């Protein structure tokens, strides 16, 4: 078996020859040149075919802008758990569908302005001297090109080609797409600039934005895209919160048209400011609406009470009546005003309670101060409830299920619960105040009844008039305050650095980087190929390679066979190949004589891995012994992959295995061949324990018995580089031949052989250089297939003839790379 120490060759003889590698690189300089030309050409084509990508950004700040006209009791500002949460909310809003729908609709960014170039369609929004305003209530040709050409400074031409008699049109008022019939499929029409275009599939107005001189005669492509798909592309807006300043938000976009990105970034921030300011004004708007409604009602009451007072004045002496009831009038008016204020507050609280219990939208609540309620808890909680309700309605389509939406919903319920408790507490206190005022009024009215009837009538009329007038003036004052508050509101969002094209901003393609990559890739690809060639060619090429690695002698050189079978010596006895085996026979005779071997001679053939011609050499060496009229037997001891029987047309149903397990006698397993004086013992059935059979006493007995009958015993063994069987059989051999095949055996395998020899595992060993050609060409080989599956990762299939292409993936690769 393989020893881990055997792989020391990676640090010794087989160290990487850097000098040889450099020489091979130089020899392939044409490959490097061609590779660089190809990679630079590809890089150039990539660069010219890609549009330039730019980046545009803007920066905004989020802070609490308190209205200077708000008092501590009327402030509408609601801090969403701190500035951080408010910034997070704004960040989410900027990327929400509802927000981006408003921006896209306002800018009409579903309209494309394109120019056809050699490689792509270029977006020329902002560069063309005109802008198209579509009629959103009518259909526009959906996702098809409309050719627009300015023919003069005040006229233009439309050309439309429709592939069928029907086409799709989109109506941006509801984003519906419908299919309509078309009676003309090729349309060319001229219009004046500013003239309304009314076609079944086009409804727009084209207006100039700058002098059109450079664009007269140029064809511009107009395309109307899906509204929803356009919004989806802009939802990818980059929103980044500054980690060092939590109230700073940076917005960014990437695209091919800087003018379009600048307009969109600025528009999205302006729309955000507008919506946020509307939200802050909602409180004042609700209050003004409530006051206006109350004032309309009070005008009628004030008018009626004024008419009653005038009528009474015509028929009575007002001065005398006023003088007698002056004290009562002032006291009654003061207490009436107090009662009215308390009742107004109670009415508001009752209305608030009903609204909270019966509604889910609290955005229309009026300010508590309109009813004279200045309790801080109620005022602040109503403001919170309105702000939260507005925010929830804005996010219902874009962020439902989002953590911010859930937080708002929970906050609304908490504020609502607290507000109801506050309202109940205040209501109890007001009811007590109302009872006190009613008691005083009852006392005063009792005193008034003692006055003459004329005085009583005057007091009732003037009392009603004064109360109505007081209420009316109070509401007028509050309306004025609410209007001032609304006008003084400031948005919490401010531009720090509006988006602007100041030049630069190019993000890609990185043309220089592409050329640098092309240079390195152009060098790397051939370098890898050369390294691969250098690496896989680490095989024995000639005798010098063997001599440089090992001191083991080379006993013979065998050329390439030209016969169908492995019986080359028998079929072509006068060929050069046959002479090479006879030369090996002579060398073996010398070795046997040197060892003073008497009687039968044993010869073991092995190799590093399968496919090196071990069995081929075993058969032909045995044949030359037999042809010299020496009784010879080939003993097939490759118990795992038996194959000798194929060439002799004999069976393998019985063999050495049957003898070794005591199932058959030696005479029963010996088979004669058609070659005189040559017998064969095949390996027989594949056993489950080949190594144990070889180590048994039966093997020794078989060899001793065969020596009594035969002059030469040839042991065909498994590769020593894969299994240990050959090492166990070495004790029975007088001479061991190690087969090395040109362009196949790896150099490190000879290093492995050296280690085994030094350890005494193989003795009396010589090398046979097999498959030799003067010109080392891949593609020569033997007409047999051989493969091992012992778990060592080796497995070769090299069955092909001299002039044929090889079979097997690696053999084909070597053949293609080195056949020339």
């Amino acid at each position: 078996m393989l020893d881990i120490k055997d792989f020391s060759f990676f640090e010794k003889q087989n160290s990487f020859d850097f000098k040889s590698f450099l020489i091979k690189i130089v020899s392939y300089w044409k490959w490097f040149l061609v590779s660089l030309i190809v990679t630079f050409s590809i890089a150039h084509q990539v660069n010219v075919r890609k549009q330039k990508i730019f980046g545009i950004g803007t920066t905004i700040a989020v802070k609490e802008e308190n209205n200077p006209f708000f008092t501590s009791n009327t402030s509408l500002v609601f801090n969403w758990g701190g500035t951080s949460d408010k910034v997070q909310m704004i960040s989410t809003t900027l990327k929400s569908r509802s927000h981006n729908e408003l921006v896209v609709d306002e800018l009409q960014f579903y309209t494309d302005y394109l120019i056809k170039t050699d490689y792509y369609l270029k977006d020329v929004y902002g560069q063309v001297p005109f802008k198209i305003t579509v009629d959103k209530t009518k259909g526009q040709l959906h996702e098809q090109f409309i050719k627009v050409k300015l023919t003069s400074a005040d006229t233009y031409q439309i050309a439309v080609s429709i592939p069928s008699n029907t086409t799709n049109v989109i109506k941006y008022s509801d984003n519906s797409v419908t299919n309509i019939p078309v009676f003309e499929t090729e349309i060319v029409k001229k219009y004046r600039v500013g003239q309304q275009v009314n076609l079944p599939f086009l409804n727009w107005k084209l207006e100039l934005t700058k002098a059109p001189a450079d664009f007269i005669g140029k064809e511009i492509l107009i395309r109307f895209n899906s509204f929803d798909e356009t919004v989806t592309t802009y939802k990818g807006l980059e929103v980044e919160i500054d980690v060092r300043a939590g109230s700073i938000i940076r917005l960014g976009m990437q695209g091919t048209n800087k003018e379009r990105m600048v307009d969109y970034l600025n528009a999205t921030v302006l729309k955000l400011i507008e919506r946020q300011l509307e939200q802050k004004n909602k409180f004042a708007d609700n209050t003004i609406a409530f006051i206006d409604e109350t004032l309309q009602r009070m005008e009628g009451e004030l008018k009626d009470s004024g008419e009653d007072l005038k009528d009474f004045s015509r028929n009575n002496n007002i001065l005398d009546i006023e003088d007698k009831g002056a004290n009562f009038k002032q006291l009654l008016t003061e207490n009436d005003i107090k009662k009215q204020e308390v009742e107004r507050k109670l009415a508001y609280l009752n209305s608030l309670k009903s609204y909270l219990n019966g509604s889910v939208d609290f955005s229309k609540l009026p300010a508590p101060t309109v009813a004279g309620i200045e309790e801080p808890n109620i005022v602040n909680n109503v403001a919170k409830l309105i702000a939260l309700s507005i925010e929830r309605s804005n996010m219902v389509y874009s962020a439902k299920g989002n953590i911010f939406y859930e937080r708002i919903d929970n906050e609304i319920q908490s504020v609502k619960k607290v507000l109801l408790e506050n309202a109940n507490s205040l209501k109890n206190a007001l009811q007590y105040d109302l009872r006190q005022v009613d008691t005083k009024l009852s006392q005063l009215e009792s005193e008034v009844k003692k006055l003459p009837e004329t005085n009583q009538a005057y007091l009732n009329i003037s009392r009603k008039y004064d109360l109505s007038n007081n209420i009316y003036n109070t509401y007028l004052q509050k309306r004025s305050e609410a209007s001032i508050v609304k006008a003084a509101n400031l948005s919490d969002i401010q531009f720090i650095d509006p988006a602007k094209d100041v030049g630069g901003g190019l993000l890609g393609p990185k043309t220089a980087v592409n050329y640098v990559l092309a240079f390195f890739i152009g060098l790397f690809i051939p370098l890898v190929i050369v390294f691969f060639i250098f690496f896989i060619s680490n095989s024995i090429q000639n005798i010098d390679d063997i001599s440089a690695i090992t001191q083991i002698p080379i006993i013979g050189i065998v050329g390439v066979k030209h016969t169908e079978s492995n019986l080359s010596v028998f079929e072509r006895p006068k060929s050069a190949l046959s002479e090479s085996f006879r030369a090996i026979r002579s060398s073996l005779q010398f070795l046997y004589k040197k060892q003073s071997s008497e009687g039968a001679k044993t010869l073991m053939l092995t190799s590093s891995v399968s496919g090196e011609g071990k069995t081929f050499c075993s058969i032909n060496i045995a044949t030359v012994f037999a042809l010299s009229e020496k009784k010879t037997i080939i003993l097939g001891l490759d118990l795992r992959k038996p194959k000798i029987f194929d060439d002799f047309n004999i069976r393998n149903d019985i063999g050495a295995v049957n003898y070794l397990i005591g199932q058959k006698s030696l005479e029963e397993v010996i088979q004669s061949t058609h070659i005189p004086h040559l017998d064969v013992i095949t390996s027989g059935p594949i056993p489950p324990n080949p190594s144990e059979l070889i180590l048994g006493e039966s093997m020794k007995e078989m060899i001793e018995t065969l020596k009594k009958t035969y002059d030469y015993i040839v042991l065909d063994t498994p590769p020593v580089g894969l299994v240990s069987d050959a090492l166990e059989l070495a004790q029975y051999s007088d001479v061991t031949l190690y087969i090395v095949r040109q362009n196949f055996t790896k150099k490190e395998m000879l290093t492995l052989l050296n280690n085994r020899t030094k350890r005494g595992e193989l003795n009396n060993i010589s090398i046979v250089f097999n498959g030799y050609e003067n010109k080392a060409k891949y593609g020569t080989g033997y007409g047999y297939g051989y493969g091992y599956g012992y778990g060592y990762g080796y497995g070769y299939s090299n069955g092909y003839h001299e002039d044929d292409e090889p079979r097997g993936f690696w053999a084909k690769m070597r053949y293609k790379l080195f056949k020339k």
Side-chain angles (χ1 to χ4, degrees):
M1 298 298 289
L2 288 177
D3 192 322
I4 191 67
K5 297 179 180 178
D6 295 338
F7 291 93
S8 60
F9 56 78
F10 283 116
E11 300 177 356
K12 297 180 181 178
Q13 288 91 337
N14 197 45
S15 60
F16 185 75
D17 191 345
F18 188 70
K19 182 178 179 181
S20 300
F21 183 61
L22 288 178
I23 293 173
K24 187 166 287 287
I25 288 176
V26 173
S27 66
Y28 284 96
W29 67 270
K30 291 182 180 178
W31 288 23
F32 287 89
L33 180 61
V34 171
S35 178
L36 287 172
I37 292 173
V38 171
T39 54
F40 271 94
S41 299
I42 293 173
H44 174 71
Q45 292 301 319
V46 169
N47 287 338
V48 299
R49 280 172 166 77
K50 281 191 174 181
Q51 294 194 63
K52 292 182 178 180
I53 304 298
F54 298 94
I56 296 292
T58 183
T59 307
I60 61 175
V62 181
K63 59 181 181 177
E64 301 292 353
E65 285 291 352
N66 292 324
N67 192 319
F69 290 94
F70 277 141
T71 66
S72 60
N73 293 334
T74 59
S75 175
L76 301 181
V77 176
F78 171 49
N79 192 342
W80 298 71
T83 303
S84 175
D85 283 349
K86 189 167 188 178
V87 169
Q88 289 287 350
M89 182 65 68
I90 290 173
S91 174
T92 302
T93 301
L94 285 167
K95 301 187 74 171
S96 67
R97 170 167 289 279
S98 58
H99 175 78
N100 284 281
E101 283 178 349
L102 296 175
V103 182
V104 169
D105 183 65
E106 182 176 293
L107 296 175
Q108 294 193 4
F109 264 20
Y110 39 73
T111 305
D112 282 343
Y113 301 80
L114 306 168
I115 287 181
K116 188 176 182 181
T117 67
D118 293 337
Y119 303 111
Y120 52 80
L121 292 174
K122 180 181 179 182
D123 184 359
V124 289
Y125 169 87
Q127 301 169 23
V128 293
F130 60 83
K131 183 178 181 181
I132 289 173
T133 304
V134 302
D135 185 346
K136 298 178 184 179
T137 63
K138 297 180 180 180
Q140 316 295 335
L141 190 61
H142 186 223
E143 294 185 342
Q144 294 189 43
F145 289 119
I146 302 115
K147 299 176 183 177
V148 174
K149 184 188 296 183
L150 290 170
T151 54
S152 67
D154 57 357
T155 60
Y156 66 96
Q157 175 183 289
I158 295 176
V160 183
S161 179
I162 300 175
S164 64
N165 292 326
T166 62
T167 190
N168 289 332
V169 295
I170 183 169
K171 188 166 62 173
Y172 288 110
S173 59
D174 56 6
N175 299 319
S176 61
V177 178
T178 55
N179 190 268
I180 63 169
V182 177
F183 301 103
E184 295 181 79
T185 56
E186 297 289 339
I187 298 173
V188 178
K189 291 182 178 294
K190 286 189 177 182
Y191 293 90
R192 295 189 310 276
V193 172
Q195 180 182 355
Q196 182 69 39
V197 175
N198 291 306
L199 295 174
F201 48 83
L202 285 179
N203 295 273
W204 76 37
K205 184 184 291 186
L206 185 149
E207 296 177 322
L208 294 179
T209 56
K210 56 185 175 182
D214 295 338
F215 281 84
I216 291 179
K218 287 187 178 180
E219 187 175 83
I220 312 297
L221 301 178
I222 305 298
R223 180 175 59 193
F224 297 108
N225 300 307
S226 167
F227 182 82
D228 291 334
E229 291 178 3
T230 304
V231 171
T232 300
T233 61
Y234 287 103
K235 279 179 64 182
L237 179 74
E238 298 173 6
V239 181
E240 178 185 0
I241 300 173
D242 194 318
V243 294
R244 292 174 296 179
S247 61
I248 303 298
I249 299 178
R250 292 184 177 87
L251 311 180
M253 294 185 71
Q254 295 182 10
T256 60
N257 188 294
K258 291 194 282 188
E259 289 87 349
R260 186 182 288 273
M261 291 187 290
V262 167
D263 286 354
Y264 194 87
L265 284 173
N266 289 331
T268 195
V269 175
L270 291 174
K271 180 59 69 174
L272 184 67
I273 292 173
E274 178 186 332
R275 295 179 68 195
Q276 202 265 343
L277 194 56
E278 286 178 357
Q279 177 179 327
K280 294 185 73 172
N281 288 337
K282 188 67 175 178
F283 196 79
D285 288 338
N286 292 348
T287 301
I288 292 172
F290 179 82
I291 292 173
D292 288 342
E293 182 181 347
T294 305
L295 286 174
Q296 287 180 359
R297 186 178 69 253
M298 293 304 301
E299 282 179 358
E301 294 181 6
L302 185 61
K303 183 178 179 181
D304 293 340
S305 59
E307 292 295 332
D308 292 342
L309 186 59
K310 288 179 182 180
D311 292 341
F312 186 85
S313 300
R314 293 191 199 101
N315 302 320
N316 298 280
N317 186 354
I318 297 300
L319 294 176
D320 184 51
I321 295 174
E322 281 183 345
D323 184 56
K324 292 180 180 180
N327 293 333
F328 291 108
K329 178 180 179 183
Q330 182 178 356
L331 292 172
L332 286 169
T333 300
E334 289 175 359
N335 283 279
D336 281 339
I337 292 174
K338 289 180 181 179
K339 181 178 180 179
Q340 191 274 334
E341 289 176 353
V342 173
E343 289 178 340
R344 188 167 71 242
K345 291 177 182 179
L346 286 170
Y348 180 87
L349 293 175
N350 290 330
S351 175
L352 176 64
K353 188 175 180 181
S354 299
Y355 198 87
L356 292 176
N357 291 326
S359 179
V360 293
D361 180 13
F362 310 110
S363 60
K364 297 180 180 180
L365 280 173
T369 52
V370 77
I373 298 175
E374 296 184 354
E375 173 65 28
N377 290 332
I378 294 180
V379 173
N380 291 335
N381 284 330
V382 168
K384 286 181 182 180
L385 203 58
I386 293 173
L388 287 167
S389 186
I390 293 172
E391 201 64 40
R392 183 177 65 175
S393 64
N394 290 337
M395 299 182 68
V396 67
Y397 297 110
S398 59
K400 195 166 185 179
N402 186 288
I403 185 172
F404 294 112
Y405 185 86
E406 294 177 359
R407 184 185 300 176
I408 290 172
D409 222 21
N410 294 334
E411 186 74 16
I412 286 176
Q413 296 303 318
S414 299
V415 173
K416 175 182 171 182
K417 184 177 180 180
V418 172
L419 190 56
L420 285 170
E421 292 177 357
N422 294 337
N424 287 330
S425 298
L426 182 60
K427 184 177 179 181
N428 293 332
L430 290 174
Q431 286 175 342
Y432 174 79
D433 292 341
L434 183 60
R435 287 194 295 272
Q436 295 295 321
V437 173
D438 285 338
T439 301
K440 290 182 180 180
L441 284 174
S442 297
Q443 293 173 356
L444 289 172
E445 287 173 352
S446 298
E447 294 296 328
V448 169
K449 289 180 180 180
K450 297 177 182 179
L451 295 175
E453 291 183 2
T454 304
N455 294 82
Q456 292 182 39
Y458 172 75
L459 285 175
N460 289 334
I461 294 173
S462 62
R463 183 179 167 189
K464 182 179 179 182
Y465 175 80
D466 290 342
L467 182 61
S468 298
N469 188 52
N470 179 268
I471 295 173
Y472 188 82
N473 289 333
T474 300
Y475 275 108
L476 280 179
Q477 181 183 355
K478 291 187 177 297
R479 190 188 191 287
S480 177
E481 291 174 356
S483 298
I484 294 173
V485 166
K486 179 180 177 181
N489 266 340
L490 297 175
S491 173
D492 293 341
I493 302 165
Q494 295 181 0
F495 265 122
I496 293 179
D497 191 12
K500 184 178 180 181
D501 179 13
V502 294
L506 181 64
L507 300 178
K510 301 292 187 180
T511 55
V513 172
N514 287 344
Y515 285 124
V516 171
L517 287 175
F519 175 76
F520 283 107
I521 293 173
L523 293 179
F524 179 75
I525 292 175
L527 188 66
V528 170
I529 295 174
V530 171
F531 181 80
F532 180 71
I533 293 172
F534 186 79
F535 178 77
I536 67 170
S537 65
N538 189 29
S539 57
I540 301 298
Q541 301 292 318
N542 49 50
I543 295 174
D544 293 336
D545 289 343
I546 300 175
S547 301
I549 299 173
T550 182
Q551 299 299 318
I552 298 173
I554 301 174
I555 197 173
I557 300 175
V558 178
V560 178
K561 78 179 184 70
H562 302 285
T563 56
E564 291 292 332
S565 71
N566 287 327
L567 303 176
S568 299
V569 172
F570 182 76
E571 293 178 359
R572 299 181 65 177
K574 296 183 179 181
S575 65
L577 184 65
S578 299
E579 291 300 325
S580 65
F581 281 109
R582 291 188 181 97
I584 293 173
R585 179 185 62 186
S586 300
S587 298
L588 287 172
Q589 296 291 358
F590 173 77
L591 291 176
Y592 289 135
K593 184 177 180 181
K594 185 177 178 181
Q595 294 177 9
S596 300
S597 298
E598 299 292 338
K601 312 295 189 296
T602 57
L603 174 66
M604 184 179 79
L605 284 87
T606 187
S607 63
S608 302
V609 294
S610 61
E612 292 171 310
K614 173 178 54 60
T615 301
F616 170 73
C617 291
S618 298
I619 292 173
N620 285 284
I621 290 174
T623 301
V624 295
F625 281 132
L627 292 178
S628 64
E629 298 184 354
K630 299 292 183 180
K631 291 198 66 176
T632 307
I633 187 168
I634 303 175
L635 183 53
L637 294 179
D638 188 353
L639 304 185
R640 293 175 172 84
K641 292 284 185 178
K643 56 196 302 187
I644 289 179
F645 54 91
D646 286 339
D647 296 292
F648 296 105
N649 295 320
I650 58 179
R651 296 182 302 171
N652 189 43
D653 51 351
I654 60 172
V657 172
N658 302 92
Y659 174 80
L660 294 175
I661 63 176
Q663 191 180 63
K664 298 287 184 181
S665 65
L666 191 59
E667 291 76 11
E668 291 177 304
V669 298
I670 295 175
Q671 300 186 61
S672 299
T673 69
H674 61 283
I675 299 176
H677 308 292
L678 180 62
D679 294 335
V680 174
I681 298 179
T682 63
S683 61
I686 298 174
N689 56 343
S691 296
E692 286 74 10
L693 289 179
I694 290 173
L695 289 171
E697 287 295 324
S698 298
M699 175 60 70
K700 182 177 181 181
E701 293 175 1
M702 182 170 63
I703 297 295
E704 294 297 330
T705 304
L706 290 174
K707 284 184 176 181
K708 296 176 182 178
T709 307
Y710 293 93
D711 297 315
Y712 290 96
I713 302 171
V714 179
L715 307 180
D716 182 42
T717 65
V720 72
L722 298 180
V723 293
S724 63
D725 296 5
L727 299 178
E728 306 298 339
L729 293 169
Q731 60 182 313
Y732 303 116
S733 67
D734 298 319
V735 175
T736 299
L737 296 184
Y738 195 90
I739 310 300
V740 174
R741 178 178 163 192
Q742 186 182 31
N743 289 327
F744 193 89
T745 303
K746 300 300 179 184
K747 294 177 181 178
E748 53 264 27
M749 289 301 176
L750 293 185
T751 305
L752 179 63
L753 178 62
N754 287 337
N755 295 334
R756 293 191 181 282
T757 304
K758 289 178 182 178
R759 291 197 297 265
E761 296 175 357
L762 294 172
N763 297 310
N764 301 323
I765 186 168
S766 300
I767 291 175
V768 174
F769 192 28
N770 184 31
Y772 176 73
E773 283 187 308
N774 286 331
K775 294 182 179 179
K777 296 181 181 178
Y778 286 92
T780 61
Y782 304 90
Y784 60 86
Y786 203 90
Y788 276 80
Y790 299 114
Y792 291 87
Y794 289 92
Y796 297 88
S797 177
N798 56 310
Y800 49 88
H801 303 302
E802 179 182 12
D803 299 324
D804 295 338
E805 283 202 7
R807 296 187 291 272
F809 174 76
W810 291 110
K812 288 182 179 180
M813 287 295 295
R814 291 193 297 270
Y815 178 79
K816 290 179 180 179
L817 289 172
F818 295 103
K819 63 182 180 180
K820 295 184 179 180

